[in-house]
Amino acid sequence: MIDVLVVDDERHVRTLLIKMISNLFECSPKEAESAEEALKICDKERFDLITADIKLSGMDGIEFIKRLRLRGIFTPVLIISAYATPEDIAEVCRYGPIDFLAKPFTQDELRKKIKGLLDLKRDTFEKYLREAEGFIHSNLSGDLDKAEQIIRVMFSLMPSSPIPHYLMAELLEKRGNRELAQRHFNAARALDVEQRGYKRGEEIDTD
């Protein structure tokens, strides 16, 4: 099951999208009728995917996505619009992961676009994992800061994954902050339902 937020100022469009996404992915999407409302929701909750129109009353879809990214929220966004210009698409694609679906569309087209973004999210997460590991194990100055930036993006991409917590615990332990490292390790263990751990399964020694 995935968590989806549908953002559109037309009620009938939101209703249609929610019905289609619910049927395709057996989930219960949340909705927002404006970008302002959506930002408030995203400040409190994390989603696997957001759908949004470019043309919204009040703040438009491009500004909405910019503000999401400034908040450190890198959730994939599917732009669903009948009015997006090539310039709009080029502008918004700077704030990926992003894809575009033109109205009107079929249910199968919607499924393919959502699946593509979710697959991209997974691949991006795995790429960041490799990069973060490299920086954590590097002895070069500034690489731990780079690792921390990447890990924070990973938290945004997959907030329910234990892996960013394991990485942050390892990073903080390397910095000597054992108390905070243990908190992240405990959070990782709580999320890691299979208790597989990440590289190691022992607790951090805080003595």
Side-chain angles (χ1 to χ4, degrees), residues 31-201:
E31 62 181 294
E33 63 181 0
S34 68
E36 290 83 356
E37 181 185 1
L39 285 173
K40 291 179 182 178
I41 294 172
C42 290
D43 282 339
K44 299 176 182 177
E45 302 179 51
R46 290 293 179 262
F47 298 91
D48 297 299
L49 179 86
I50 297 172
T51 73
D53 198 347
I54 288 286
K55 306 300 181 184
L56 295 169
S57 56
M59 185 191 307
D60 67 22
I62 296 176
E63 183 63 26
F64 166 61
I65 294 169
K66 287 181 183 178
R67 296 198 186 190
L68 277 180
R69 302 314 188 222
L70 287 172
R71 282 167 158 80
I73 300 171
F74 294 90
T75 305
V77 179
L78 177 59
I79 298 295
I80 301 177
S81 179
Y83 305 105
T85 66
E87 292 75 18
D88 288 336
I89 296 171
E91 170 71 11
V92 79
C93 282
R94 296 168 54 197
Y95 305 99
I98 299 286
D99 203 350
F100 172 76
L101 180 62
K103 298 177 183 176
F105 54 87
T106 67
Q107 184 165 283
D108 188 55
E109 289 172 332
L110 178 64
R111 179 189 63 79
K112 288 178 180 178
K113 289 290 186 179
I114 291 177
K115 186 177 183 304
L117 276 173
L118 294 177
D119 288 346
L120 176 61
K121 173 183 172 180
R122 183 199 63 233
D123 293 343
T124 301
F125 186 86
E126 292 175 356
K127 172 178 174 287
Y128 284 152
L129 168 59
R130 293 191 296 271
E131 290 180 356
E133 286 180 321
F135 286 132
I136 288 173
H137 299 141
S138 167
N139 293 318
L140 295 177
S141 175
D143 276 2
L144 287 182
D145 290 337
K146 294 176 184 176
E148 182 175 353
Q149 292 174 357
I150 292 171
I151 294 167
R152 294 193 182 283
V153 174
M154 292 174 70
F155 275 121
S156 175
L157 282 173
M158 292 191 179
S160 61
S161 171
I163 292 176
H165 284 287
Y166 281 124
L167 287 170
M168 188 64 81
E170 191 172 357
L171 182 151
L172 290 166
E173 188 177 15
K174 194 167 183 179
R175 282 177 168 169
N177 192 340
R178 292 174 174 266
E179 181 178 352
L180 188 54
Q182 184 65 57
R183 291 180 187 175
H184 277 282
F185 184 80
N186 292 341
R189 296 285 286 180
L191 289 169
D192 195 351
V193 293
E194 296 182 10
Q195 296 295 299
R196 292 174 299 177
Y198 171 72
K199 291 189 176 179
R200 57 193 174 88

Side-chain angles (χ1 to χ4, degrees), residues 6 8 10-24 29 31 51 80 103-107 110:
V6 174
D8 201 292
E10 297 185 44
R11 180 181 293 275
H12 73 279
V13 174
R14 296 199 307 273
T15 300
L16 175 62
L17 279 170
I18 288 170
K19 182 178 180 181
M20 293 174 75
I21 295 171
S22 299
N23 291 336
L24 289 168
E31 62 181 294
T51 73
I80 301 177
K103 298 177 183 176
F105 54 87
T106 67
Q107 184 165 283
L110 178 64

